Amino acid sequence: MGKNTRSGRRKKRRPGAATTPRESKAAKDDPESLSVEELLAAASTEMDAFQYEAAQTLCRTALAKEPDNVAVLETSAGLCLELGNLDGARHCLGRAITLQPERGHEKYMSMAQLMTGQEALQCYLKGIEILTRAIASLPATEKKEEEGEKKTKKEEGVEMATEEEEEEGSKIAAQGNENLSPAEAMAGSSRGDPPPPPPTLGSPVGERAGLVRQVSTAYCSVAELFMTDLCDVEEAEEECRASITKAIEADPTNPEAYQHMASFLLVKQEAEEAKQYITKSLKAWLPQYRAVREGKASAGSFDPVEVCPLPYATRLTTARILIEVEDHEAAREVLEGLAEEDDEVVDTWYLLGWNHYLQGEEQREAAHYSLHRALQVHAESPSEDAQLVEHLKELMEELGPYTEAEDEEDQGIEEELEQDSEEEDEDEEDHNAMDTS
């Protein structure tokens, strides 16, 4: 989970966001005439259309009608996050937590990303506690189906928060609950923009799997806290490892859980064991992603909008780990996939170049090209990672100026590789056709 800034708006529509033409017109002409439910639906629709000013007006109206409506507060918090108004988001989430402390894990997970240290930890633990209760309350039939699909999953037993943790978690409800007016809560800000609250699952199909994945991801976030904000806490190392272990036990299919363990082991300088865990992480998502990239995945087996279950930034971390454990081929595949998705990211080209460079003289030309591209992208969209840029320039100074002749040669190599790949695909199709006949 982490506290990464958001890379873009969610592409999927919020549940219940649809409004009728009458409601849409009334929302613009006379929002006071709408019920709170209609105002919320209209506000969500405006947010999906990036009409934040209109959404602000609707949320203010809804808050004025029912200032203690939790759904209104959570929607308002979401809008504050869209606008980078972290103080407003804290206020709305804090008030929602105060009003409904034992239901709704999303507000705790969102609040955790707006807090630091122990406060963030207690929010995550409370969110996990509520998630665990929600999982336990699901019908037994769904549990049996999931256990049938995941035979390797260990006996379910996500640890509940202790009484002390619950007490601490309840204290969070009082935080961020300043006496701000609805208008103040909705006011804009120039501060950073953390990820939005996780979407609520609207269908019972796969609901258990979705909740289990959120428990696993929350434990990963707890582990991150012990690697960063809480690294000086006594027994931080043990707590970090324990949290990652719980993440894996909660959902053995979560690639991020294995990746966190690999990162942890690298810090411990246990490279061989780290390599085993990052390999497990890759197996959880790379084969399907490879099939999608090669056009071999069956229709309906993947999300056409988000073909990879892992965010771009997470896969960059994957590549860094793979390079560190010297799995250069896997690192190349991950990085080439990232470059296909977005070829204007300095880190991607830098890592691709560094990966080639580490393989010696045979990969020198490929390294030179990728590092040159990294410098080009940096010139257009400067990277904020000063250390990366410094290393990039050092490597280019060692390799020398990149010439147009090399560029043309690289383009020729790329075209030749593409042609070989197409011929291999055609040969495979012909072979399959012969087998069928």
Side-chain angles (χ1 to χ4, degrees):
M1 206 175 280
K3 299 185 181 181
N4 302 322
T5 55
R6 193 172 335 157
S7 59
R9 285 271 301 139
R10 295 188 298 282
K11 297 181 178 68
K12 294 182 181 177
R13 193 179 232 359
R14 296 175 182 79
T19 54
T20 66
R22 183 194 71 80
E23 289 169 349
S24 180
K25 186 175 187 305
K28 292 178 181 178
D29 295 344
D30 184 16
E32 291 288 347
S33 66
L34 299 181
S35 67
V36 168
E37 290 73 18
E38 290 170 336
L39 286 165
L40 279 179
S44 293
T45 299
E46 296 293 357
M47 289 169 70
D48 286 334
F50 309 103
Q51 301 299 315
Y52 298 129
E53 289 187 11
Q56 277 186 316
T57 299
L58 294 164
C59 283
R60 288 194 190 102
T61 304
L63 282 170
K65 286 174 177 276
E66 295 184 21
D68 286 345
N69 184 307
V70 172
V72 174
L73 288 164
E74 290 183 338
T75 300
S76 298
L79 180 55
C80 286
L81 291 174
E82 295 288 0
L83 297 170
N85 178 11
L86 305 194
D87 288 337
R90 286 190 192 96
H91 163 69
C92 292
L93 290 170
R95 184 62 183 157
I97 288 170
T98 301
L99 292 167
Q100 203 174 75
E102 297 302 324
R103 282 194 296 155
H105 64 278
E106 296 98 335
K107 57 181 177 284
Y108 282 100
M109 300 306 182
S110 296
M111 180 67 97
Q113 296 182 62
L114 297 171
M115 312 297 275
T116 58
Q118 287 290 341
E119 293 173 335
L121 175 62
Q122 297 310 320
C123 282
Y124 280 128
L125 291 176
K126 189 64 180 181
I128 290 170
E129 178 194 333
I130 293 172
L131 273 168
T132 304
R133 288 205 303 263
I135 292 168
S137 70
L138 290 174
T141 52
E142 189 173 348
K143 179 177 179 180
K144 288 179 181 178
E145 285 174 10
E146 182 184 276
E147 288 174 347
E149 292 172 0
K150 302 177 183 177
K151 293 181 181 179
T152 58
K153 185 170 182 177
K154 294 183 178 180
E155 194 174 307
E156 189 173 346
V158 180
E159 294 186 10
M160 298 288 286
T162 64
E163 287 182 10
E164 291 78 15
E165 288 167 347
E166 181 173 352
E167 217 175 288
E168 293 260 22
S170 297
K171 291 177 184 177
I172 300 298
Q175 295 180 3
N177 191 25
E178 298 84 5
N179 294 320
L180 298 177
S181 68
E184 288 172 329
M186 304 309 299
S189 168
S190 59
R191 295 177 63 179
D193 191 7
T200 302
L201 297 171
S203 168
V205 179
E207 182 177 1
R208 182 184 184 82
L211 294 177
V212 164
R213 174 59 58 87
Q214 289 185 60
V215 168
S216 179
T217 302
Y219 273 125
C220 288
S221 296
V222 171
E224 283 185 31
L225 278 175
F226 282 110
M227 285 193 220
T228 53
D229 296 2
L230 301 176
C231 63
D232 294 328
V233 171
E234 188 177 354
E235 299 182 347
E237 182 181 314
E238 291 78 4
E239 292 289 345
C240 182
R241 184 189 283 270
S243 296
I244 300 172
T245 300
K246 289 176 184 177
I248 293 172
E249 289 175 348
D251 183 0
T253 68
N254 185 2
E256 291 191 63
Y258 294 107
Q259 181 162 311
H260 273 76
M261 184 63 86
S263 295
F264 172 79
L265 291 168
L266 282 175
V267 172
K268 296 281 294 172
Q269 298 185 337
E270 298 174 18
E272 282 304 313
E273 196 174 352
K275 187 172 185 177
Q276 294 174 18
Y277 276 96
I278 197 62
T279 299
K280 289 180 181 180
S281 177
L282 282 177
K283 286 181 179 178
W285 67 271
L286 188 57
Q288 173 70 10
Y289 179 60
R290 183 187 295 138
V292 172
R293 284 183 63 201
E294 296 173 355
K296 297 177 181 178
S298 58
S301 65
F302 62 94
D303 187 333
V305 176
E306 297 176 3
V307 297
C308 184
L310 294 185
Y312 198 101
T314 301
R315 281 176 283 157
L316 275 174
T317 302
T318 303
R320 290 189 181 94
I321 295 172
L322 288 167
I323 292 171
E324 198 160 346
V325 300
E326 299 183 355
D327 191 344
H328 297 295
E329 184 59 29
R332 179 192 59 78
E333 183 175 2
V334 171
L335 288 165
E336 286 181 351
L338 290 168
E340 282 183 15
E341 289 180 33
D342 187 348
D343 62 358
E344 297 299 322
V345 179
V346 177
D347 297 58
T348 301
W349 288 110
Y350 161 76
L351 288 173
L352 196 52
W354 178 234
N355 189 54
H356 285 305
Y357 176 88
L358 290 173
Q359 295 175 71
E361 192 63 29
E362 291 184 359
Q363 298 288 325
R364 181 186 176 92
E365 289 182 6
H368 208 180
Y369 170 74
S370 297
L371 293 169
H372 170 68
R373 279 289 296 132
L375 271 182
Q376 285 183 319
V377 174
H378 173 65
E380 296 173 4
S381 302
S383 170
E384 296 180 1
D385 189 337
Q387 191 173 358
L388 180 152
V389 174
E390 183 180 353
H391 189 219
L392 172 59
K393 290 178 178 178
E394 288 175 359
L395 290 169
M396 283 300 292
E397 186 175 344
E398 178 186 335
L399 294 172
Y402 189 80
T403 64
E404 291 185 7
E406 285 182 279
D407 198 9
E408 291 173 3
E409 185 178 341
D410 284 328
Q411 288 179 1
I413 292 171
E414 287 180 6
E415 290 173 3
E416 186 178 336
L417 288 172
E418 287 177 7
Q419 184 176 350
D420 290 344
S421 178
E422 290 173 3
E423 289 175 356
E424 286 176 7
D425 290 342
E426 289 174 3
D427 290 342
E428 187 176 343
E429 288 175 7
D430 293 341
H431 181 71
N432 292 337
M434 290 176 65
D435 288 345
T436 304
S437 60

